[in-house]
Amino acid sequence: MEIINLCEHDSLVSRYMLELRDKNIQTDRLRFRTNVKRIGQIMAYEISKRLNYADCKTDTPLDVANTRNIADKVVLGSIFRAGLPLHEGMLSYFDDADNAFISAYRQYINGSDEFEIHTEYLASPSIEDKVLVIADPMLATGSSMEVAIKGFLQKGTPKHIHIAVIIATDQAIEYVKKTLPEGIKATIWAGDIDHILNSHSYIVPGLGDAGDLLYGEK
């Protein structure tokens, strides 16, 4: 599995990540959502470089041009609710992609730090032999992503899975590697990678609860 940390190389992603992490700037909910969408757009562009293309002919007002177009069928998958702005950013670039959605959320047990992942909703087209891109801002433990991948795989076997996140942890990356079904090819794209997961399974330094910052407290 390939791991790509976009903050390893200076770009606009570094600026957007700075603003997403800054506790003063992130109080502007609209700017927070906009920055998540921007990173989604950049990730879509970078992912587009990994797709297959085919030659085609395009009629212009003056002649016929030799052009290239994406040959792969792309499905954009999102984990409710925090994944939606990242999904929208990518959809603004992959504007003819099919779309899939799944709910996956933590349910803490008796007020402790232990939790289970629950799913209640799945809507997806066939992903058989397609490129599946899964959007979820925070890859903290990897448990929600494991459940999401297994849910989407009920709809077929994709050619490749691209996992798009704002922040990942080392622990989650290793967990996804370990739990990825045999034969599935995957790439993780992260805005940045943090190295600490606290006792409540929150990413440190992270940025807080992405869903709450995007849409308000639950």
Side-chain angles (χ1 to χ4, degrees):
M1 178 186 290
E2 185 178 11
I3 312 300
I4 299 168
N5 181 355
L6 295 177
C7 270
E8 286 185 343
H9 306 283
D10 288 338
S11 73
L12 281 171
V13 172
S14 298
R15 170 67 185 187
Y16 301 149
M17 288 300 305
L18 179 157
E19 294 191 0
L20 287 172
R21 291 183 187 270
D22 190 307
K23 66 180 182 181
N24 297 311
I25 297 174
Q26 66 181 205
T27 58
D28 183 342
R29 200 174 292 169
L30 174 59
R31 187 164 189 84
F32 192 87
R33 287 195 299 268
T34 298
N35 283 334
V36 172
K37 289 179 184 177
R38 286 168 165 170
I39 292 177
Q41 290 170 334
I42 292 170
M43 285 183 173
Y45 174 72
E46 294 297 331
I47 290 170
S48 76
K49 298 177 184 179
R50 305 297 184 92
L51 302 179
N52 293 306
Y53 287 74
D55 294 328
C56 51
K57 302 285 187 181
T58 301
D59 291 326
T60 79
L62 300 178
D63 204 343
V64 177
N66 295 318
T67 54
R68 301 268 291 168
N69 199 9
I70 296 171
D72 289 321
K73 297 293 185 182
V74 177
V75 177
L76 299 180
S78 182
I79 300 179
F80 284 149
R81 62 180 168 150
L84 291 176
L86 194 59
H87 183 114
E88 289 177 12
M90 292 190 291
L91 185 58
S92 69
Y93 276 32
F94 292 121
D95 47 25
D96 60 349
D98 287 334
N99 294 268
F101 302 94
I102 190 169
S103 67
Y105 63 93
R106 295 181 184 182
Q107 187 170 67
Y108 285 91
I109 302 170
N110 298 325
S112 70
D113 289 334
E114 296 183 13
F115 61 87
E116 297 175 342
I117 302 297
H118 284 257
T119 60
E120 295 177 351
Y121 179 85
L122 170 65
S124 174
S126 169
I127 62 170
E128 186 67 32
D129 203 35
K130 298 177 183 178
V131 175
L132 175 63
V133 183
I134 304 177
D136 191 28
M138 310 300 281
L139 190 64
T141 66
S143 300
S144 294
M145 187 59 64
E146 176 193 14
V147 170
I149 290 173
K150 288 180 177 177
F152 288 134
L153 289 181
Q154 296 176 45
K155 299 295 184 175
T157 302
K159 180 183 298 186
H160 197 100
I161 296 177
H162 293 277
I163 298 170
V165 302
I166 299 297
I167 301 177
T169 66
D170 301 309
Q171 297 96 317
I173 289 170
E174 291 306 312
Y175 186 82
V176 172
K177 286 180 180 179
K178 181 178 68 175
T179 59
L180 193 69
E182 187 175 352
I184 299 295
K185 298 177 181 178
T187 303
I188 294 177
W189 300 78
D192 206 353
I193 297 175
D194 287 349
H195 309 297
I196 300 173
L197 200 63
N198 69 16
S199 61
H200 205 60
S201 297
Y202 285 167
I203 300 173
V204 180
L207 50 76
D209 188 306
D212 288 358
L213 290 166
L214 289 163
Y215 296 115
E217 292 185 6
K218 297 183 262 309

PDB file of all heavy atoms in Angstrom, residues 133-170:
ATOM      1  N   VAL A 133     -12.881   5.999  -4.590  1.00  0.00           N
ATOM      2  CA  VAL A 133     -12.211   7.001  -3.764  1.00  0.00           C
ATOM      3  C   VAL A 133     -13.070   7.218  -2.523  1.00  0.00           C
ATOM      4  O   VAL A 133     -14.244   7.577  -2.636  1.00  0.00           O
ATOM      5  CB  VAL A 133     -12.038   8.335  -4.514  1.00  0.00           C
ATOM      6  CG1 VAL A 133     -11.266   9.329  -3.653  1.00  0.00           C
ATOM      7  CG2 VAL A 133     -11.335   8.123  -5.853  1.00  0.00           C
ATOM      8  N   ILE A 134     -12.512   6.972  -1.341  1.00  0.00           N
ATOM      9  CA  ILE A 134     -13.268   7.097  -0.092  1.00  0.00           C
ATOM     10  C   ILE A 134     -12.777   8.324   0.665  1.00  0.00           C
ATOM     11  O   ILE A 134     -11.590   8.443   0.974  1.00  0.00           O
ATOM     12  CB  ILE A 134     -13.115   5.849   0.796  1.00  0.00           C
ATOM     13  CG1 ILE A 134     -13.529   4.588   0.037  1.00  0.00           C
ATOM     14  CG2 ILE A 134     -13.966   6.006   2.063  1.00  0.00           C
ATOM     15  CD1 ILE A 134     -13.331   3.307   0.836  1.00  0.00           C
ATOM     16  N   ALA A 135     -13.706   9.240   0.990  1.00  0.00           N
ATOM     17  CA  ALA A 135     -13.372  10.479   1.693  1.00  0.00           C
ATOM     18  C   ALA A 135     -13.795  10.409   3.152  1.00  0.00           C
ATOM     19  O   ALA A 135     -14.942  10.087   3.453  1.00  0.00           O
ATOM     20  CB  ALA A 135     -14.065  11.656   1.010  1.00  0.00           C
ATOM     21  N   ASP A 136     -12.859  10.716   4.046  1.00  0.00           N
ATOM     22  CA  ASP A 136     -13.150  10.824   5.482  1.00  0.00           C
ATOM     23  C   ASP A 136     -12.039  11.660   6.095  1.00  0.00           C
ATOM     24  O   ASP A 136     -10.871  11.282   5.998  1.00  0.00           O
ATOM     25  CB  ASP A 136     -13.217   9.449   6.137  1.00  0.00           C
ATOM     26  CG  ASP A 136     -13.765   9.495   7.553  1.00  0.00           C
ATOM     27  OD1 ASP A 136     -14.557  10.414   7.842  1.00  0.00           O
ATOM     28  OD2 ASP A 136     -13.407   8.631   8.362  1.00  0.00           O
ATOM     29  N   PRO A 137     -12.354  12.815   6.702  1.00  0.00           N
ATOM     30  CA  PRO A 137     -11.284  13.721   7.138  1.00  0.00           C
ATOM     31  C   PRO A 137     -10.267  13.129   8.095  1.00  0.00           C
ATOM     32  O   PRO A 137      -9.078  13.371   7.956  1.00  0.00           O
ATOM     33  CB  PRO A 137     -12.054  14.884   7.794  1.00  0.00           C
ATOM     34  CG  PRO A 137     -13.367  14.878   7.122  1.00  0.00           C
ATOM     35  CD  PRO A 137     -13.677  13.427   6.875  1.00  0.00           C
ATOM     36  N   MET A 138     -10.727  12.353   9.103  1.00  0.00           N
ATOM     37  CA  MET A 138      -9.815  11.911  10.147  1.00  0.00           C
ATOM     38  C   MET A 138      -9.675  10.395  10.131  1.00  0.00           C
ATOM     39  O   MET A 138     -10.643   9.665  10.353  1.00  0.00           O
ATOM     40  CB  MET A 138     -10.312  12.366  11.518  1.00  0.00           C
ATOM     41  CG  MET A 138     -10.671  13.853  11.585  1.00  0.00           C
ATOM     42  SD  MET A 138      -9.305  14.960  11.205  1.00  0.00           S
ATOM     43  CE  MET A 138      -8.412  14.926  12.754  1.00  0.00           C
ATOM     44  N   LEU A 139      -8.469   9.931   9.865  1.00  0.00           N
ATOM     45  CA  LEU A 139      -8.162   8.497   9.929  1.00  0.00           C
ATOM     46  C   LEU A 139      -7.409   8.290  11.237  1.00  0.00           C
ATOM     47  O   LEU A 139      -6.179   8.327  11.274  1.00  0.00           O
ATOM     48  CB  LEU A 139      -7.327   8.084   8.717  1.00  0.00           C
ATOM     49  CG  LEU A 139      -7.118   6.587   8.497  1.00  0.00           C
ATOM     50  CD1 LEU A 139      -8.444   5.880   8.221  1.00  0.00           C
ATOM     51  CD2 LEU A 139      -6.136   6.339   7.360  1.00  0.00           C
ATOM     52  N   ALA A 140      -8.168   8.103  12.317  1.00  0.00           N
ATOM     53  CA  ALA A 140      -7.581   8.077  13.658  1.00  0.00           C
ATOM     54  C   ALA A 140      -7.149   6.673  14.062  1.00  0.00           C
ATOM     55  O   ALA A 140      -5.971   6.403  14.281  1.00  0.00           O
ATOM     56  CB  ALA A 140      -8.572   8.652  14.668  1.00  0.00           C
ATOM     57  N   THR A 141      -8.118   5.755  14.171  1.00  0.00           N
ATOM     58  CA  THR A 141      -7.800   4.368  14.521  1.00  0.00           C
ATOM     59  C   THR A 141      -7.847   3.450  13.300  1.00  0.00           C
ATOM     60  O   THR A 141      -7.245   2.379  13.307  1.00  0.00           O
ATOM     61  CB  THR A 141      -8.795   3.819  15.563  1.00  0.00           C
ATOM     62  OG1 THR A 141     -10.100   3.724  14.975  1.00  0.00           O
ATOM     63  CG2 THR A 141      -8.848   4.728  16.784  1.00  0.00           C
ATOM     64  N   GLY A 142      -8.583   3.864  12.281  1.00  0.00           N
ATOM     65  CA  GLY A 142      -8.772   3.023  11.097  1.00  0.00           C
ATOM     66  C   GLY A 142     -10.008   2.157  11.172  1.00  0.00           C
ATOM     67  O   GLY A 142     -10.386   1.521  10.181  1.00  0.00           O
ATOM     68  N   SER A 143     -10.681   2.119  12.332  1.00  0.00           N
ATOM     69  CA  SER A 143     -11.832   1.230  12.509  1.00  0.00           C
ATOM     70  C   SER A 143     -13.009   1.613  11.618  1.00  0.00           C
ATOM     71  O   SER A 143     -13.650   0.756  11.005  1.00  0.00           O
ATOM     72  CB  SER A 143     -12.269   1.232  13.976  1.00  0.00           C
ATOM     73  OG  SER A 143     -11.228   0.780  14.811  1.00  0.00           O
ATOM     74  N   SER A 144     -13.298   2.917  11.534  1.00  0.00           N
ATOM     75  CA  SER A 144     -14.401   3.361  10.672  1.00  0.00           C
ATOM     76  C   SER A 144     -14.091   3.076   9.205  1.00  0.00           C
ATOM     77  O   SER A 144     -14.974   2.669   8.446  1.00  0.00           O
ATOM     78  CB  SER A 144     -14.662   4.861  10.862  1.00  0.00           C
ATOM     79  OG  SER A 144     -15.131   5.132  12.153  1.00  0.00           O
ATOM     80  N   MET A 145     -12.846   3.269   8.820  1.00  0.00           N
ATOM     81  CA  MET A 145     -12.473   3.005   7.431  1.00  0.00           C
ATOM     82  C   MET A 145     -12.581   1.521   7.113  1.00  0.00           C
ATOM     83  O   MET A 145     -13.011   1.142   6.010  1.00  0.00           O
ATOM     84  CB  MET A 145     -11.044   3.513   7.175  1.00  0.00           C
ATOM     85  CG  MET A 145     -10.629   3.445   5.713  1.00  0.00           C
ATOM     86  SD  MET A 145     -11.691   4.384   4.582  1.00  0.00           S
ATOM     87  CE  MET A 145     -11.411   6.063   5.189  1.00  0.00           C
ATOM     88  N   GLU A 146     -12.201   0.670   8.063  1.00  0.00           N
ATOM     89  CA  GLU A 146     -12.345  -0.773   7.854  1.00  0.00           C
ATOM     90  C   GLU A 146     -13.804  -1.134   7.578  1.00  0.00           C
ATOM     91  O   GLU A 146     -14.113  -1.873   6.623  1.00  0.00           O
ATOM     92  CB  GLU A 146     -11.852  -1.528   9.088  1.00  0.00           C
ATOM     93  CG  GLU A 146     -12.056  -3.039   8.986  1.00  0.00           C
ATOM     94  CD  GLU A 146     -11.865  -3.763  10.306  1.00  0.00           C
ATOM     95  OE1 GLU A 146     -11.836  -3.087  11.374  1.00  0.00           O
ATOM     96  OE2 GLU A 146     -11.769  -5.005  10.285  1.00  0.00           O
ATOM     97  N   VAL A 147     -14.712  -0.596   8.404  1.00  0.00           N
ATOM     98  CA  VAL A 147     -16.139  -0.876   8.241  1.00  0.00           C
ATOM     99  C   VAL A 147     -16.645  -0.321   6.912  1.00  0.00           C
ATOM    100  O   VAL A 147     -17.427  -0.969   6.207  1.00  0.00           O
ATOM    101  CB  VAL A 147     -16.932  -0.283   9.420  1.00  0.00           C
ATOM    102  CG1 VAL A 147     -18.429  -0.335   9.149  1.00  0.00           C
ATOM    103  CG2 VAL A 147     -16.605  -1.036  10.701  1.00  0.00           C
ATOM    104  N   ALA A 148     -16.205   0.887   6.554  1.00  0.00           N
ATOM    105  CA  ALA A 148     -16.644   1.496   5.300  1.00  0.00           C
ATOM    106  C   ALA A 148     -16.187   0.678   4.096  1.00  0.00           C
ATOM    107  O   ALA A 148     -16.965   0.435   3.157  1.00  0.00           O
ATOM    108  CB  ALA A 148     -16.116   2.921   5.198  1.00  0.00           C
ATOM    109  N   ILE A 149     -14.938   0.257   4.105  1.00  0.00           N
ATOM    110  CA  ILE A 149     -14.418  -0.542   2.982  1.00  0.00           C
ATOM    111  C   ILE A 149     -15.204  -1.837   2.847  1.00  0.00           C
ATOM    112  O   ILE A 149     -15.624  -2.209   1.739  1.00  0.00           O
ATOM    113  CB  ILE A 149     -12.915  -0.819   3.173  1.00  0.00           C
ATOM    114  CG1 ILE A 149     -12.114   0.471   2.981  1.00  0.00           C
ATOM    115  CG2 ILE A 149     -12.439  -1.893   2.189  1.00  0.00           C
ATOM    116  CD1 ILE A 149     -10.647   0.339   3.323  1.00  0.00           C
ATOM    117  N   LYS A 150     -15.432  -2.519   3.957  1.00  0.00           N
ATOM    118  CA  LYS A 150     -16.191  -3.770   3.901  1.00  0.00           C
ATOM    119  C   LYS A 150     -17.621  -3.523   3.410  1.00  0.00           C
ATOM    120  O   LYS A 150     -18.191  -4.349   2.680  1.00  0.00           O
ATOM    121  CB  LYS A 150     -16.197  -4.438   5.269  1.00  0.00           C
ATOM    122  CG  LYS A 150     -14.845  -5.027   5.652  1.00  0.00           C
ATOM    123  CD  LYS A 150     -14.863  -5.684   7.024  1.00  0.00           C
ATOM    124  CE  LYS A 150     -13.523  -6.317   7.351  1.00  0.00           C
ATOM    125  NZ  LYS A 150     -13.498  -6.907   8.719  1.00  0.00           N
ATOM    126  N   GLY A 151     -18.204  -2.374   3.800  1.00  0.00           N
ATOM    127  CA  GLY A 151     -19.545  -2.051   3.327  1.00  0.00           C
ATOM    128  C   GLY A 151     -19.576  -1.824   1.829  1.00  0.00           C
ATOM    129  O   GLY A 151     -20.426  -2.388   1.120  1.00  0.00           O
ATOM    130  N   PHE A 152     -18.639  -1.022   1.322  1.00  0.00           N
ATOM    131  CA  PHE A 152     -18.611  -0.745  -0.111  1.00  0.00           C
ATOM    132  C   PHE A 152     -18.300  -1.996  -0.930  1.00  0.00           C
ATOM    133  O   PHE A 152     -18.784  -2.158  -2.057  1.00  0.00           O
ATOM    134  CB  PHE A 152     -17.595   0.355  -0.419  1.00  0.00           C
ATOM    135  CG  PHE A 152     -18.020   1.729   0.018  1.00  0.00           C
ATOM    136  CD1 PHE A 152     -17.138   2.561   0.697  1.00  0.00           C
ATOM    137  CD2 PHE A 152     -19.289   2.199  -0.252  1.00  0.00           C
ATOM    138  CE1 PHE A 152     -17.518   3.830   1.105  1.00  0.00           C
ATOM    139  CE2 PHE A 152     -19.698   3.472   0.149  1.00  0.00           C
ATOM    140  CZ  PHE A 152     -18.800   4.287   0.831  1.00  0.00           C
ATOM    141  N   LEU A 153     -17.492  -2.901  -0.363  1.00  0.00           N
ATOM    142  CA  LEU A 153     -17.133  -4.117  -1.102  1.00  0.00           C
ATOM    143  C   LEU A 153     -18.323  -5.055  -1.291  1.00  0.00           C
ATOM    144  O   LEU A 153     -18.237  -6.003  -2.085  1.00  0.00           O
ATOM    145  CB  LEU A 153     -15.990  -4.846  -0.393  1.00  0.00           C
ATOM    146  CG  LEU A 153     -14.613  -4.171  -0.455  1.00  0.00           C
ATOM    147  CD1 LEU A 153     -13.566  -5.002   0.268  1.00  0.00           C
ATOM    148  CD2 LEU A 153     -14.175  -3.927  -1.899  1.00  0.00           C
ATOM    149  N   GLN A 154     -19.433  -4.779  -0.611  1.00  0.00           N
ATOM    150  CA  GLN A 154     -20.649  -5.537  -0.889  1.00  0.00           C
ATOM    151  C   GLN A 154     -21.158  -5.244  -2.300  1.00  0.00           C
ATOM    152  O   GLN A 154     -21.966  -6.005  -2.847  1.00  0.00           O
ATOM    153  CB  GLN A 154     -21.745  -5.168   0.115  1.00  0.00           C
ATOM    154  CG  GLN A 154     -21.446  -5.534   1.558  1.00  0.00           C
ATOM    155  CD  GLN A 154     -22.537  -5.053   2.494  1.00  0.00           C
ATOM    156  OE1 GLN A 154     -23.726  -5.212   2.213  1.00  0.00           O
ATOM    157  NE2 GLN A 154     -22.152  -4.448   3.611  1.00  0.00           N
ATOM    158  N   LYS A 155     -20.684  -4.134  -2.872  1.00  0.00           N
ATOM    159  CA  LYS A 155     -21.137  -3.705  -4.196  1.00  0.00           C
ATOM    160  C   LYS A 155     -20.161  -4.073  -5.305  1.00  0.00           C
ATOM    161  O   LYS A 155     -20.292  -3.602  -6.432  1.00  0.00           O
ATOM    162  CB  LYS A 155     -21.348  -2.184  -4.186  1.00  0.00           C
ATOM    163  CG  LYS A 155     -22.397  -1.722  -3.181  1.00  0.00           C
ATOM    164  CD  LYS A 155     -23.781  -2.249  -3.536  1.00  0.00           C
ATOM    165  CE  LYS A 155     -24.842  -1.726  -2.595  1.00  0.00           C
ATOM    166  NZ  LYS A 155     -26.205  -2.144  -2.997  1.00  0.00           N
ATOM    167  N   GLY A 156     -19.175  -4.917  -4.990  1.00  0.00           N
ATOM    168  CA  GLY A 156     -18.254  -5.359  -6.025  1.00  0.00           C
ATOM    169  C   GLY A 156     -16.806  -5.211  -5.601  1.00  0.00           C
ATOM    170  O   GLY A 156     -16.506  -4.720  -4.507  1.00  0.00           O
ATOM    171  N   THR A 157     -15.906  -5.625  -6.488  1.00  0.00           N
ATOM    172  CA  THR A 157     -14.472  -5.535  -6.236  1.00  0.00           C
ATOM    173  C   THR A 157     -13.886  -4.433  -7.106  1.00  0.00           C
ATOM    174  O   THR A 157     -13.892  -4.540  -8.341  1.00  0.00           O
ATOM    175  CB  THR A 157     -13.769  -6.861  -6.557  1.00  0.00           C
ATOM    176  OG1 THR A 157     -14.354  -7.909  -5.769  1.00  0.00           O
ATOM    177  CG2 THR A 157     -12.280  -6.774  -6.252  1.00  0.00           C
ATOM    178  N   PRO A 158     -13.388  -3.358  -6.502  1.00  0.00           N
ATOM    179  CA  PRO A 158     -12.854  -2.247  -7.301  1.00  0.00           C
ATOM    180  C   PRO A 158     -11.480  -2.556  -7.868  1.00  0.00           C
ATOM    181  O   PRO A 158     -10.745  -3.407  -7.354  1.00  0.00           O
ATOM    182  CB  PRO A 158     -12.788  -1.104  -6.289  1.00  0.00           C
ATOM    183  CG  PRO A 158     -12.563  -1.788  -4.980  1.00  0.00           C
ATOM    184  CD  PRO A 158     -13.333  -3.087  -5.061  1.00  0.00           C
ATOM    185  N   LYS A 159     -11.142  -1.842  -8.909  1.00  0.00           N
ATOM    186  CA  LYS A 159      -9.806  -1.936  -9.496  1.00  0.00           C
ATOM    187  C   LYS A 159      -8.759  -1.398  -8.525  1.00  0.00           C
ATOM    188  O   LYS A 159      -7.649  -1.929  -8.427  1.00  0.00           O
ATOM    189  CB  LYS A 159      -9.793  -1.135 -10.806  1.00  0.00           C
ATOM    190  CG  LYS A 159      -8.481  -1.128 -11.547  1.00  0.00           C
ATOM    191  CD  LYS A 159      -8.576  -0.234 -12.780  1.00  0.00           C
ATOM    192  CE  LYS A 159      -9.621  -0.748 -13.767  1.00  0.00           C
ATOM    193  NZ  LYS A 159      -9.601   0.056 -15.021  1.00  0.00           N
ATOM    194  N   HIS A 160      -9.115  -0.333  -7.816  1.00  0.00           N
ATOM    195  CA  HIS A 160      -8.195   0.299  -6.862  1.00  0.00           C
ATOM    196  C   HIS A 160      -9.026   1.139  -5.907  1.00  0.00           C
ATOM    197  O   HIS A 160     -10.051   1.695  -6.294  1.00  0.00           O
ATOM    198  CB  HIS A 160      -7.182   1.188  -7.600  1.00  0.00           C
ATOM    199  CG  HIS A 160      -5.976   1.551  -6.778  1.00  0.00           C
ATOM    200  ND1 HIS A 160      -4.771   0.899  -6.911  1.00  0.00           N
ATOM    201  CD2 HIS A 160      -5.785   2.496  -5.817  1.00  0.00           C
ATOM    202  CE1 HIS A 160      -3.896   1.426  -6.072  1.00  0.00           C
ATOM    203  NE2 HIS A 160      -4.498   2.399  -5.388  1.00  0.00           N
ATOM    204  N   ILE A 161      -8.569   1.241  -4.644  1.00  0.00           N
ATOM    205  CA  ILE A 161      -9.199   2.119  -3.667  1.00  0.00           C
ATOM    206  C   ILE A 161      -8.219   3.228  -3.297  1.00  0.00           C
ATOM    207  O   ILE A 161      -7.077   2.959  -2.929  1.00  0.00           O
ATOM    208  CB  ILE A 161      -9.606   1.363  -2.387  1.00  0.00           C
ATOM    209  CG1 ILE A 161     -10.677   0.306  -2.697  1.00  0.00           C
ATOM    210  CG2 ILE A 161     -10.148   2.337  -1.340  1.00  0.00           C
ATOM    211  CD1 ILE A 161     -11.070  -0.534  -1.489  1.00  0.00           C
ATOM    212  N   HIS A 162      -8.670   4.465  -3.420  1.00  0.00           N
ATOM    213  CA  HIS A 162      -7.913   5.618  -2.945  1.00  0.00           C
ATOM    214  C   HIS A 162      -8.609   6.138  -1.688  1.00  0.00           C
ATOM    215  O   HIS A 162      -9.799   6.492  -1.741  1.00  0.00           O
ATOM    216  CB  HIS A 162      -7.846   6.720  -4.006  1.00  0.00           C
ATOM    217  CG  HIS A 162      -7.049   6.348  -5.211  1.00  0.00           C
ATOM    218  ND1 HIS A 162      -5.675   6.455  -5.253  1.00  0.00           N
ATOM    219  CD2 HIS A 162      -7.434   5.854  -6.414  1.00  0.00           C
ATOM    220  CE1 HIS A 162      -5.247   6.059  -6.443  1.00  0.00           C
ATOM    221  NE2 HIS A 162      -6.286   5.680  -7.153  1.00  0.00           N
ATOM    222  N   ILE A 163      -7.893   6.171  -0.572  1.00  0.00           N
ATOM    223  CA  ILE A 163      -8.436   6.649   0.700  1.00  0.00           C
ATOM    224  C   ILE A 163      -7.935   8.070   0.901  1.00  0.00           C
ATOM    225  O   ILE A 163      -6.733   8.308   1.001  1.00  0.00           O
ATOM    226  CB  ILE A 163      -7.997   5.738   1.855  1.00  0.00           C
ATOM    227  CG1 ILE A 163      -8.537   4.315   1.646  1.00  0.00           C
ATOM    228  CG2 ILE A 163      -8.459   6.303   3.193  1.00  0.00           C
ATOM    229  CD1 ILE A 163      -7.953   3.290   2.602  1.00  0.00           C
ATOM    230  N   ALA A 164      -8.870   9.045   0.929  1.00  0.00           N
ATOM    231  CA  ALA A 164      -8.518  10.460   1.003  1.00  0.00           C
ATOM    232  C   ALA A 164      -8.889  11.013   2.373  1.00  0.00           C
ATOM    233  O   ALA A 164     -10.066  11.014   2.743  1.00  0.00           O
ATOM    234  CB  ALA A 164      -9.244  11.238  -0.093  1.00  0.00           C
ATOM    235  N   VAL A 165      -7.880  11.473   3.129  1.00  0.00           N
ATOM    236  CA  VAL A 165      -8.125  11.978   4.488  1.00  0.00           C
ATOM    237  C   VAL A 165      -7.354  13.278   4.705  1.00  0.00           C
ATOM    238  O   VAL A 165      -6.352  13.541   4.042  1.00  0.00           O
ATOM    239  CB  VAL A 165      -7.711  10.938   5.556  1.00  0.00           C
ATOM    240  CG1 VAL A 165      -8.467   9.644   5.359  1.00  0.00           C
ATOM    241  CG2 VAL A 165      -6.212  10.676   5.548  1.00  0.00           C
ATOM    242  N   ILE A 166      -7.860  14.087   5.640  1.00  0.00           N
ATOM    243  CA  ILE A 166      -7.155  15.319   5.994  1.00  0.00           C
ATOM    244  C   ILE A 166      -5.952  15.007   6.889  1.00  0.00           C
ATOM    245  O   ILE A 166      -4.843  15.461   6.639  1.00  0.00           O
ATOM    246  CB  ILE A 166      -8.101  16.311   6.707  1.00  0.00           C
ATOM    247  CG1 ILE A 166      -9.260  16.697   5.785  1.00  0.00           C
ATOM    248  CG2 ILE A 166      -7.343  17.562   7.159  1.00  0.00           C
ATOM    249  CD1 ILE A 166      -8.860  17.424   4.532  1.00  0.00           C
ATOM    250  N   ILE A 167      -6.188  14.215   7.946  1.00  0.00           N
ATOM    251  CA  ILE A 167      -5.105  13.807   8.842  1.00  0.00           C
ATOM    252  C   ILE A 167      -5.230  12.312   9.125  1.00  0.00           C
ATOM    253  O   ILE A 167      -6.320  11.814   9.407  1.00  0.00           O
ATOM    254  CB  ILE A 167      -5.125  14.579  10.178  1.00  0.00           C
ATOM    255  CG1 ILE A 167      -4.995  16.089   9.945  1.00  0.00           C
ATOM    256  CG2 ILE A 167      -3.994  14.102  11.095  1.00  0.00           C
ATOM    257  CD1 ILE A 167      -5.078  16.918  11.229  1.00  0.00           C
ATOM    258  N   ALA A 168      -4.122  11.613   9.055  1.00  0.00           N
ATOM    259  CA  ALA A 168      -4.044  10.197   9.419  1.00  0.00           C
ATOM    260  C   ALA A 168      -3.051  10.023  10.553  1.00  0.00           C
ATOM    261  O   ALA A 168      -2.225  10.903  10.817  1.00  0.00           O
ATOM    262  CB  ALA A 168      -3.615   9.356   8.215  1.00  0.00           C
ATOM    263  N   THR A 169      -3.147   8.898  11.242  1.00  0.00           N
ATOM    264  CA  THR A 169      -2.135   8.532  12.238  1.00  0.00           C
ATOM    265  C   THR A 169      -1.363   7.319  11.746  1.00  0.00           C
ATOM    266  O   THR A 169      -1.853   6.546  10.907  1.00  0.00           O
ATOM    267  CB  THR A 169      -2.762   8.185  13.601  1.00  0.00           C
ATOM    268  OG1 THR A 169      -3.552   6.986  13.468  1.00  0.00           O
ATOM    269  CG2 THR A 169      -3.631   9.321  14.111  1.00  0.00           C
ATOM    270  N   ASP A 170      -0.174   7.142  12.299  1.00  0.00           N
ATOM    271  CA  ASP A 170       0.620   5.958  11.967  1.00  0.00           C
ATOM    272  C   ASP A 170      -0.141   4.688  12.332  1.00  0.00           C
ATOM    273  O   ASP A 170      -0.131   3.705  11.584  1.00  0.00           O
ATOM    274  CB  ASP A 170       1.954   5.992  12.720  1.00  0.00           C
ATOM    275  CG  ASP A 170       2.776   7.216  12.399  1.00  0.00           C
ATOM    276  OD1 ASP A 170       2.973   7.498  11.206  1.00  0.00           O
ATOM    277  OD2 ASP A 170       3.215   7.908  13.337  1.00  0.00           O
TER     278      ASP A 170
END
